[in-house]
Amino acid sequence: MNQLNDAIMAYRLRWKRRRLLFRALRKRQQLRGVVNRTDQIAKGDILGAVTVRNEIVRLPHFLDHHRRLGVAHFLFVDNASDDGTREYLSDQPDVSLWTTRHSYKLSRFGMDWLTALQARYAHGHWCLTLDADEIFIYPHHDTRPLPALTEWLERNERGSFGALMLDMYPKGRLSTHPYQPGDDPFHQLCWFDGGNYMIQRKPDLQNLWIQGGVRARCFFADQPRRAPTMGKIPLVKWNRRFAYVSSTHSLLPRRLNHVYADDGGEIASGILLHSKFLNVIVDKSAEEKSRREHFANSDLYEAYYDRLIDDPDLWSRTSTKFISWRQLEAMGLMSKGNWI
Amino acid sequence: MLVHTAFDRAEQVARHWAAAGCPLVIHADKGVPKPAYDAFKKSLSDLPAVRFSKRHRCEWGTWGLVAATQGAAELMLNDFPDVRHVYLASGSCLPLRPVQELIDYLADRPQTDFIESATTADVPWTIGGLDHERFTLRFPFSWRKHRYLFDRYVALQRAVGYRRRIPNGIVPHMGSQWWCLTRQTLSAILSDPERSAYDRYFKSVWIPDESYFQTLVRQYSRQIESRSLTLSKFDYQGKPHIFYDDHLQLLRRSDCFVARKIWPFADRLYNAFLSDNAGAMKRTEPNPGKIDRIFAKAVERRTRGRPGLLMQSRFPVEGRENGLTCAQYSVFEGFSDLFENFETWLAKITGTRVHGHLFAPERAEFSDGQTVMNGALSDSATLRDYNPRAFLASLIWNTRGERQCFQMGPRDHIKNLEWDLAKDPNAQISVITGAWAVPLFKSNANFSDIRKEAARLQQVESKHLDVLRSPWTKARVRIWTMAEFIEAPMEPLQTIIDEIGQQNLRGLSEVPRMSDLSGFGQFLQNLKNQGMHPYLMGDFPVAHDPHEPPHNKPKPYLVQ
């Protein structure tokens, strides 16, 4: 009986994946090309895929970091930026850029646009799907570039790699920490919640639903179910038949969601350092609150925005100060697995 | 040297060998496209003592690798008559010590063959569930490319009881494919009159490159050192570990002559080991054992993980947790109801971290009234109750190194956790049943409310005790009725404290203060009179309690 149910679920998910791909194909019409440098993409290159809106402040460091890791080419979708993001990106030699003024929310938070681009350009490549406020790190990232990781994953017959999103915050009120574009944001946002994560396994997609961190502690203590999802699967050896289901938290086919061991062992995983709480968030929250583009059920998140607009201090005496990936590994937030 | 990719690195290493005066025969996989092969050949054309042998297709685990080795070895022995030892290396091998040291080392041992060679019965190297059957079945299908056919065909042969005959009664041996053999031994193997029979046999052995020379060397060698001079480490699936830049110190420490596999882009390693540092010659023996621990730990981490850690890439299904928590902790039920200062006393006497009721309905009562604990664990009851299992596992994980104790009782939100607690071998659970009645007894509530509450708590605790007494329980559980406990409180306390096992060996110098229980028997009788029979606390006489605690402070007991 269980096997039958599983087969039925697999069949339903197959159709769901097809729907998502079809939907992405339709949303492709909404994109207008700005610069297309995809002819530079060579066989075996690792790609980045990002949707941005007004991220001029974060982009210099974002690009710098991921270039250094070994991302060879970036696919960007600009969603109606008006702060110079578009111009900045179109000047970058390794960026291909599309733009659209359509709704971010109706594009499943940018996923439809990216899925369309990935199907076209990322087939057969390892692809890192990120937001502009996410900095990807993994065990040994300071000495081993991304190609070392992806090669090793392939040797181990893994097609995807998971990462926990770690909300980084400063000590003191958010707005009191000035930031210069290009700087490492984690000089100031150097604190995080080290051990309050809650995990459930989703029976349908078989991914882990991880919640917790500072946002659950400070903003969603009274309604934990609504706390943001922290588990992501940003790095995938892409195939044009793949599709992310909700943000990069889960994808189809669901075998790609198996970025964890369930036999008691540990497998290698990474971290997304989240620079959401940079000083600019205070102003941006007011805007986001009125745009209502960020959550499926935006009304429920008004209080959350109000708290952010209030410029809170997220720091607690038990916060952990960020030192290095080794520290995160020792704390059990990510794992080397057997990649030593 | 067997090469199939990363030709720039292969060239670099070939030049390194050649510069030290070692003649070289290179075999390139037939899968390499001709232009790449020609370019590679050309790049080494200035070296006089380099030959290229006939190309074979070398797929992992197939005969091609052995054929390639044979061809290259024959060429080596014919073209370079001065060669005494032949070292089999690959393109991703990297010499770690000056080549001259290796030459001297081999010159000191002119008759020794260095080849790992062990019988199948004695080593646990199994891949795909096959050990001795590697030698008795046939394997026409590729394990990597046609796994299904491979498995089916093995199953079929097993089903019909097929066994191959091993020629001339040789005893199959296995070992690392990277060896170093003397001319005498190698030429004996290659010119054996029976060779065609052996070759035919080994062509359908599985992974012959790990058994052909390893088996035949036993026929001819005068002196076998059963170890490889090449350092190579394998993970739990038998795949070789790859060395990166950050392994520099590790490789140095191993004192091995050659290591594989090196990541082709590990510039730092190639620069460090191939630069000509004609420093002081070391006479040390290779000692790969020095770095074994690190690799053993990696296997352990991959297969068993860190017990008590629930995280994004370790989320065991029920039964595979290897312990829900990472360290021992103590749960006390009823103690803080019976004793007035139990928590402070316990903290003082054991030096552990003592929390209040962590699962209280209002909030998690962390020690010292903290609102956030280690790891930014919040005291919010909603967050905690959203995933109590994660809450407990995180608490114990975040405070590793410091033993945790906490109070529990039927008032708390324990329904979703009690099974996890009971099944956790790290939990030490001590229960005084019925002690929840003491706060009711002391309270200033209406008796009808007290009666209702007592009935509820009794029901909850009774179910809880069923859980603790179930056959699935793995925690160390001790249960006393309240009447039993106050009769002789020090003995159980001493046992519990001893088990926590902190310093204090001289017995308890100080005892916790017990609540004044005079009139408690009557209180229970009143409940009974109202039709609510409190039974969990054991037998309390009604009128005059003979065991009623002394009215003055209890004197310190000394229990040895």
Side-chain angles (χ1 to χ4, degrees):
Chain A
M1 199 60 205
N2 261 342
Q3 271 183 343
L4 183 65
N5 280 340
D6 203 54
I8 292 170
M9 178 56 81
Y11 186 71
R12 279 176 47 198
L13 290 173
R14 170 177 291 206
W15 277 101
K16 177 171 184 148
R17 179 168 56 85
R18 287 177 180 159
R19 272 203 310 279
L20 291 174
L21 287 171
F22 181 68
R23 186 188 157 106
L25 210 66
R26 275 193 302 128
K27 298 275 174 180
R28 176 73 176 84
Q29 315 299 325
Q30 299 178 349
L31 298 178
R32 192 169 55 77
V34 180
V35 206
N36 190 332
R37 299 190 179 95
T38 50
D39 52 346
Q40 295 175 7
I41 299 175
K43 190 168 174 266
D45 273 357
I46 296 171
L47 309 183
V50 197
T51 301
V52 285
R53 177 188 157 79
N54 288 345
E55 291 289 6
I56 188 77
V57 177
R58 291 190 176 95
L59 280 173
H61 179 261
F62 174 89
L63 287 172
D64 186 43
H65 173 86
H66 293 105
R67 271 178 195 142
R68 244 183 303 133
L69 285 188
V71 175
H73 198 86
F74 296 90
L75 308 169
F76 269 94
V77 173
D78 160 55
N79 184 205
S81 298
D82 53 14
D83 67 345
T85 294
R86 185 159 57 241
E87 294 72 17
Y88 175 81
L89 283 175
S90 55
D91 288 343
Q92 302 299 316
D94 52 358
V95 167
S96 293
L97 178 65
W98 288 261
T99 184
T100 179
R101 305 199 65 83
H102 285 84
S103 163
Y104 178 68
K105 186 162 150 183
L106 291 180
S107 167
R108 295 193 302 122
F109 311 108
M111 283 339 290
D112 285 336
W113 300 325
L114 289 183
T115 305
L117 294 178
Q118 284 168 325
R120 174 82 175 76
Y121 299 109
H123 182 71
H125 292 270
W126 281 90
C127 187
L128 194 54
T129 309
L130 298 170
D131 287 338
D133 58 4
E134 293 169 348
I135 296 292
F136 178 60
I137 62 171
Y138 51 87
H140 305 290
H141 73 95
D142 47 356
T143 49
R144 305 179 196 175
L146 262 177
L149 175 64
T150 55
E151 213 174 88
W152 180 81
L153 289 171
E154 281 190 43
R155 290 172 59 84
N156 285 277
E157 286 148 41
R158 282 180 61 186
S160 56
F161 186 76
L164 176 77
M165 196 153 64
L166 203 58
D167 285 337
M168 308 295 290
Y169 48 86
K171 186 174 178 178
R173 287 183 178 271
L174 302 180
S175 65
T176 55
H177 295 268
Y179 174 73
Q180 287 303 314
D183 288 353
D184 180 356
F186 307 113
H187 277 149
Q188 287 145 358
L189 310 185
C190 55
W191 299 89
F192 61 92
D193 281 17
N196 55 11
Y197 297 87
M198 302 165 284
I199 309 182
Q200 305 167 55
R201 186 173 179 270
K202 291 262 211 180
D204 50 352
L205 289 168
Q206 300 174 352
N207 63 318
L208 295 185
W209 182 20
I210 309 177
Q211 293 170 290
V214 68
R215 281 183 286 171
R217 168 165 67 85
C218 291
F219 306 130
F220 295 92
D222 48 351
Q223 40 178 1
R225 267 193 75 80
R226 301 219 169 275
T229 306
M230 309 306 281
K232 290 203 165 186
I233 306 173
L235 182 63
V236 177
K237 171 101 187 249
W238 203 259
N239 184 296
R240 63 170 80 91
R241 292 196 174 88
F242 294 173
Y244 278 112
V245 178
S246 68
S247 175
T248 57
H249 303 307
S250 54
L251 69 165
L252 285 170
R254 57 184 171 170
R255 70 183 136 85
L256 297 168
N257 294 329
H258 293 181
V259 291
Y260 57 95
D262 60 7
D263 59 357
E266 280 173 43
I267 61 177
S269 53
I271 290 278
L272 292 171
L273 297 173
H274 199 199
S275 69
K276 186 182 182 65
F277 295 113
L278 223 47
N279 57 353
V280 290
I281 187 160
V282 180
D283 298 331
K284 220 174 164 178
S285 295
E287 188 194 331
E288 294 300 343
K289 184 183 169 190
S290 58
R291 278 184 74 230
R292 305 162 62 89
E293 281 277 300
H294 267 277
F295 291 100
N297 205 343
S298 302
D299 292 339
L300 294 164
Y301 293 87
E302 296 222 336
Y304 166 61
Y305 283 124
D306 287 338
R307 286 289 311 280
L308 281 175
I309 295 165
D310 273 355
D311 192 7
D313 179 0
L314 304 175
W315 187 82
S316 111
R317 210 176 33 77
T318 54
S319 299
T320 312
K321 189 164 187 180
F322 176 62
I323 302 168
S324 68
W325 69 262
R326 285 183 192 278
Q327 165 202 30
L328 301 180
E329 213 273 337
M331 292 175 74
L333 290 166
M334 68 173 172
S335 177
K336 290 190 284 200
N338 59 331
W339 197 41
I340 53 158
Chain B
M1 179 189 273
L2 308 179
V3 184
H4 66 104
T5 178
F7 296 106
D8 50 334
R9 289 303 185 193
E11 182 200 335
Q12 210 180 343
V13 175
R15 287 187 178 281
H16 184 76
W17 289 114
C22 300
L24 214 59
V25 176
I26 296 177
H27 173 271
D29 189 343
K30 204 166 186 184
V32 176
K34 196 162 169 9
Y37 178 62
D38 289 343
F40 176 54
K41 213 167 161 178
K42 192 156 167 264
S43 71
L44 287 168
S45 55
D46 60 315
L47 298 177
V50 171
R51 302 282 185 277
F52 286 83
S53 67
K54 180 171 176 285
R55 295 166 71 191
H56 296 263
R57 190 169 295 281
C58 299
E59 201 191 318
W60 179 85
T62 61
W63 173 253
L65 279 161
V66 180
T69 313
Q70 288 176 332
E74 278 168 349
L75 188 58
M76 172 67 80
L77 296 175
N78 287 334
D79 279 21
F80 303 102
D82 294 338
V83 166
R84 194 179 53 230
H85 273 98
V86 178
Y87 198 119
L88 181 63
S90 81
S92 53
C93 284
L94 178 65
L96 303 182
R97 289 166 64 175
V99 179
Q100 191 58 45
E101 285 185 26
L102 176 59
I103 294 172
D104 295 346
Y105 185 85
L106 293 175
D108 290 347
R109 298 158 179 81
Q111 302 292 344
T112 311
D113 294 300
F114 294 91
I115 180 166
E116 193 175 49
S117 161
T119 54
T120 48
D122 305 324
V123 283
W125 304 319
T126 7
I127 294 179
L130 296 164
D131 41 49
H132 192 69
E133 286 174 323
R134 287 178 183 210
F135 300 101
T136 57
L137 303 182
R138 286 177 180 274
F139 302 94
F141 301 105
S142 159
W143 190 66
R144 290 247 163 114
K145 288 188 187 150
H146 309 290
R147 183 80 55 92
Y148 181 78
L149 286 175
F150 181 96
D151 288 343
R152 291 280 73 76
Y153 197 62
V154 167
L156 176 72
Q157 294 178 77
R158 282 177 182 165
V160 302
Y162 176 79
R163 285 179 83 85
R164 298 180 66 200
R165 199 182 59 81
I166 301 175
N168 293 344
I170 50 173
V171 184
H173 283 66
M174 299 194 304
S176 161
Q177 67 177 113
W178 310 108
W179 42 249
C180 177
L181 298 179
T182 57
R183 170 181 287 271
Q184 273 190 9
T185 308
L186 192 54
S187 58
I189 292 174
L190 294 174
S191 56
D192 190 314
E194 294 282 320
R195 178 173 151 190
S196 59
Y198 294 139
D199 285 8
R200 218 170 25 247
Y201 167 73
F202 276 99
K203 264 178 196 165
S204 31
V205 159
W206 192 41
I207 326 187
D209 50 315
E210 288 183 0
S211 56
Y212 180 83
F213 290 98
Q214 289 72 4
T215 301
L216 296 181
V217 76
R218 291 281 168 189
Q219 313 272 57
Y220 306 104
S221 177
R222 280 199 244 165
Q223 197 181 350
I224 292 183
E225 276 271 319
S226 180
R227 64 185 162 102
S228 174
L229 291 179
T230 303
L231 169 75
S232 70
K233 290 285 171 192
F234 295 90
D235 68 9
Y236 74 113
Q237 289 174 315
K239 292 188 177 131
H241 274 294
I242 298 179
F243 295 107
Y244 301 93
D245 278 347
D246 44 287
H247 289 122
L248 181 64
Q249 295 310 324
L250 185 87
L251 292 175
R252 282 229 167 96
R253 245 193 357 253
S254 75
D255 282 329
C256 287
F257 290 109
V258 178
R260 92 179 289 270
K261 306 172 76 148
I262 310 292
W263 192 50
F265 303 98
D267 293 337
R268 212 170 134 223
L269 292 186
Y270 278 96
N271 290 341
F273 290 115
L274 295 188
S275 63
D276 194 24
N277 47 356
M281 290 281 162
K282 284 193 288 183
R283 292 249 159 234
T284 44
E285 275 286 328
N287 190 358
K290 269 198 270 185
I291 61 173
D292 271 349
R293 204 176 56 86
I294 290 162
F295 295 91
K297 252 174 93 176
V299 172
E300 169 94 10
R301 176 160 289 199
R302 174 61 189 85
T303 54
R304 290 173 56 79
R306 287 170 273 185
L309 174 64
L310 298 178
M311 50 98 71
Q312 54 162 335
S313 54
R314 179 182 197 267
F315 197 68
V317 291
E318 196 175 337
R320 301 299 295 269
E321 294 97 337
N322 189 11
L324 168 68
T325 51
C326 68
Q328 299 197 337
Y329 57 95
S330 306
V331 185
F332 293 92
E333 303 187 26
F335 287 72
S336 58
D337 294 328
L338 189 60
F339 297 104
E340 282 168 6
N341 60 343
F342 182 69
E343 290 162 34
T344 39
W345 171 81
L346 185 66
K348 192 171 163 195
I349 212 97
T350 59
T352 57
R353 171 87 68 145
V354 182
H355 305 282
H357 287 259
L358 279 186
F359 295 89
E362 301 79 23
R363 54 178 284 266
E365 295 171 358
F366 293 131
S367 64
D368 309 320
Q370 297 174 92
T371 53
V372 235
M373 267 290 288
N374 301 26
L377 200 60
S378 161
D379 69 343
S380 149
T382 27
L383 270 180
R384 177 199 65 200
D385 293 343
Y386 181 55
N387 194 337
R389 217 175 113 91
F391 176 84
L392 180 69
S394 298
L395 177 80
I396 305 295
W397 175 260
N398 294 344
T399 54
R400 19 191 218 293
E402 180 191 45
R403 190 183 178 111
Q404 307 292 305
C405 304
F406 60 90
Q407 321 300 322
M408 218 165 78
R411 278 183 205 87
D412 299 347
H413 290 177
I414 54 170
K415 218 175 139 207
N416 293 326
L417 187 76
E418 53 186 356
W419 272 112
D420 290 314
L421 273 179
K423 287 196 267 186
D424 185 0
N426 281 323
Q428 178 204 38
I429 306 176
S430 314
V431 190
I432 305 177
T433 63
W436 43 263
V438 178
L440 289 179
F441 162 60
K442 303 255 171 191
S443 81
N444 189 26
N446 288 331
F447 197 74
S448 63
D449 295 339
I450 289 179
R451 183 203 173 285
K452 224 161 91 190
E453 179 70 354
R456 184 182 77 86
L457 296 180
Q458 175 149 280
Q459 205 170 29
V460 172
E461 187 166 77
S462 147
K463 281 202 182 123
H464 177 59
L465 292 173
D466 289 345
V467 171
L468 292 184
R469 286 179 175 134
S470 87
W472 292 282
T473 293
K474 292 204 186 97
R476 276 158 309 144
V477 179
R478 289 197 180 81
I479 301 172
W480 301 271
T481 64
M482 190 174 152
E484 214 176 359
F485 191 88
I486 58 176
E487 190 129 342
M490 289 324 293
E491 210 170 322
L493 279 179
Q494 181 76 54
T495 320
I496 296 167
I497 305 295
D498 284 349
E499 205 171 271
I500 291 179
Q502 311 277 346
Q503 54 292 114
N504 228 305
L505 296 168
R506 284 179 294 121
L508 301 176
S509 52
E510 199 182 327
V511 292
R513 199 163 56 244
M514 200 181 287
S515 278
D516 181 4
L517 292 179
S518 43
F520 187 66
Q522 186 58 52
F523 170 75
L524 295 181
Q525 184 58 45
N526 291 348
L527 283 173
K528 279 186 194 159
N529 295 345
Q530 294 277 327
M532 188 269 153
H533 275 246
Y535 59 88
L536 288 175
M537 40 296 280
D539 285 334
F540 272 87
V542 186
H544 179 69
D545 191 347
H547 301 301
E548 194 175 303
H551 290 286
N552 44 5
K553 274 188 163 184
K555 57 179 182 293
Y557 292 79
L558 280 174
V559 184
Q560 289 304 322

